[in-house]
């Protein structure tokens, strides 16, 4: 058997910078109440959302992804020419082919990087982050740009209160680079395909459907163990977690997970869903960007991340914030 020549002394990986793009239009619960049978109290009691962002026609998935990616590059201190891998996580791509990641990379000025799209539902960005970190660790890439971008309003019936009050648009991104001290812990990921239809766009349909109660039960009963295992693999415990940033699907789920993990009171819990809605694969990087920009999270903080959604897919990991 041929013996492969592996990269000697391959580095670990760490996050160098975040960037985000939030659409201009704010849509409040009161505005939605004018178009459907709902109200602010009903929405906030069930999912915790006060407002969300919906993209205007010129705020395409490409434009939002480029904007978030450009900000992440600026925060990282790298030039686009130094990036040799670009991953775009999205569940709302506008076309089957070609992929959007190569176009995003070109617009940003990257020089012929590896580039591809990732669709793992709302877990997509965490999946892509792990893939990029592994590529850096094994020597397949030196620096990587990982974007989560969504225009979920393109696939939402905006008159259906079961989905229109929840889903929103936006893009978040992070740049990863090599590090002697690893800053991205091992991922704990998986899927429960027996519930694949719980969140779906049925064949021949144009709007998303979601079995909200089934997803809630799954998330609150199955995923705490994923987070505990992610901490164990990273060699940390609940008392070491400075920031908890799960997918922003439902404020009640977020708060229940934090309670079950017994995180210390000082832990900053991301609640970006209140102002941004559910932005699927963009939600985790958007939440982390907001926490860093506000000063609630700081460089060097240890963050526990969780993505989960359509598939049903999930991915938990511990990272060090840039």
């Amino acid at each position: 058997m041929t013996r492969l020549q592996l990269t000697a002394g391959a580095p670990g990986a760490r996050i160098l910078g975040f960037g985000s793009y939030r659409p201009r239009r704010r849509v409040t619960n009161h505005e939605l109440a004018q178009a459907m049978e709902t109200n602010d109290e009903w929405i906030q009691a069930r999912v915790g959302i006060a407002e969300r962002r919906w993209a205007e026609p010129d705020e395409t998935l490409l434009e939002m992804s480029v904007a978030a990616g450009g900000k992440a590059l600026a925060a990282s201190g790298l030039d686009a020419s130094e990036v040799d891998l670009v991953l775009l996580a999205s569940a709302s791509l506008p076309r089957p082919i070609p992929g959007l990641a190569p176009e995003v990379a070109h617009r940003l000025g990257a020089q012929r990087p590896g580039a591809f799209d990732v669709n793992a539902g709302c877990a997509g960005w965490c999946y892509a982050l792990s893939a990029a970190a592994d590529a850096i660790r094994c020597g397949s890439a030196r620096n990587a740009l990982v974007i989560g971008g969504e225009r979920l309003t393109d696939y939402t019936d905006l008159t259906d209160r079961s989905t229109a009050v929840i889903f929103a648009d936006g893009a978040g991104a992070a740049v990863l680079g090599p590090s002697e001290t690893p800053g991205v812990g091992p991922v704990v990921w998986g899927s429960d395909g027996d519930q694949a239809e719980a969140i779906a766009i049925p064949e021949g349909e144009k709007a998303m459907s979601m079995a909200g109660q089934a997803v809630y039960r799954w998330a609150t009963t199955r995923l705490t163990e994923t987070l505990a295992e992610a901490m164990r693999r990273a060699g940390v415990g609940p008392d070491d977690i400075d920031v908890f940033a799960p997918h922003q699907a439902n404020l009640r789920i977020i708060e229940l997970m934090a309670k079950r993990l017994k995180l210390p009171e000082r832990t900053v819990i991301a609640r970006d869903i209140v102002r941004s809605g559910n932005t699927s694969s963009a939600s985790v990087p958007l939440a982390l960007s907001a926490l860093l920009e506000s000063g609630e999270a700081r460089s060097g903080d240890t963050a526990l991340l969780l993505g989960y959604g359509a598939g049903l897919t999930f991915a938990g990991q511990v990272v060090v914030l840039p």
Side-chain angles (χ1 to χ4, degrees), residues 48-118:
I49 299 172
E51 65 180 38
R52 72 285 295 146
R53 300 291 186 99
W54 286 1
E56 299 286 6
D58 64 312
E59 294 173 306
T60 64
L61 182 55
L62 172 63
E63 296 297 338
M64 293 191 294
S65 298
V66 169
K71 290 179 181 178
L73 281 168
S76 75
L78 295 182
D79 186 80
S81 63
E82 299 176 85
V83 171
D84 47 12
L85 178 63
V86 176
L87 305 184
L88 173 62
S90 181
S92 55
L93 293 164
R95 64 200 181 206
I97 54 174
L100 204 59
E103 192 172 357
V104 171
H106 172 72
R107 286 279 300 273
L108 288 169
Q111 304 298 311
R112 304 185 71 194
F116 60 93
D117 301 340
V118 177

Side-chain angles (χ1 to χ4, degrees), residues 46 62 111 144 180 201-202 244 294:
R46 283 158 180 77
L62 172 63
Q111 304 298 311
E180 292 184 4
I201 300 176
F244 179 42
S294 69

Side-chain angles (χ1 to χ4, degrees), residues 197 200-207 209:
E197 298 304 313
I201 300 176
E203 187 172 351
E205 300 292 330
K206 294 183 179 180
S209 66

Side-chain angles (χ1 to χ4, degrees), residues 84-238:
D84 47 12
L85 178 63
V86 176
L87 305 184
L88 173 62
S90 181
S92 55
L93 293 164
R95 64 200 181 206
I97 54 174
L100 204 59
E103 192 172 357
V104 171
H106 172 72
R107 286 279 300 273
L108 288 169
Q111 304 298 311
R112 304 185 71 194
F116 60 93
D117 301 340
V118 177
N119 184 354
C122 302
W125 187 80
C126 289
Y127 266 57
L129 180 73
S130 298
D134 286 348
I136 292 170
R137 277 193 287 265
C138 75
S140 297
R142 181 163 179 81
N143 299 303
L145 172 62
V146 182
I147 303 169
E150 302 287 6
R151 264 188 63 115
L152 293 174
T153 50
D154 289 340
Y155 298 94
T156 303
D157 179 352
L158 299 182
T159 64
D160 174 16
R161 76 170 185 172
S162 68
T163 53
V165 303
I166 298 171
F167 295 115
D169 306 325
V175 173
L176 279 71
S179 174
E180 292 184 4
T181 303
V184 179
V187 66
V188 179
W189 54 13
S191 61
D192 286 316
D194 59 320
Q195 299 186 71
E197 298 304 313
I199 307 171
I201 300 176
E203 187 172 351
E205 300 292 330
K206 294 183 179 180
M208 191 183 318
S209 66
M210 182 173 68
Q213 287 300 315
V215 174
Y216 183 93
R217 286 193 298 271
W218 172 76
T220 55
T221 59
R222 300 291 300 276
L223 298 184
T224 303
E225 61 191 42
T226 298
L227 290 163
E229 178 63 12
M231 288 189 286
R232 188 192 69 78
R233 293 190 189 182
V236 302

Side-chain angles (χ1 to χ4, degrees), residues 237-260:
D239 289 342
D240 300 307
I241 301 302
D242 301 305
V243 176
F244 179 42
H247 167 48
Q248 304 289 291
N250 184 307
L251 187 59
R252 311 302 161 226
I253 294 176
I254 294 169
E255 293 174 339
L256 183 57
M257 284 180 173
K259 181 178 180 181
R260 288 180 174 173

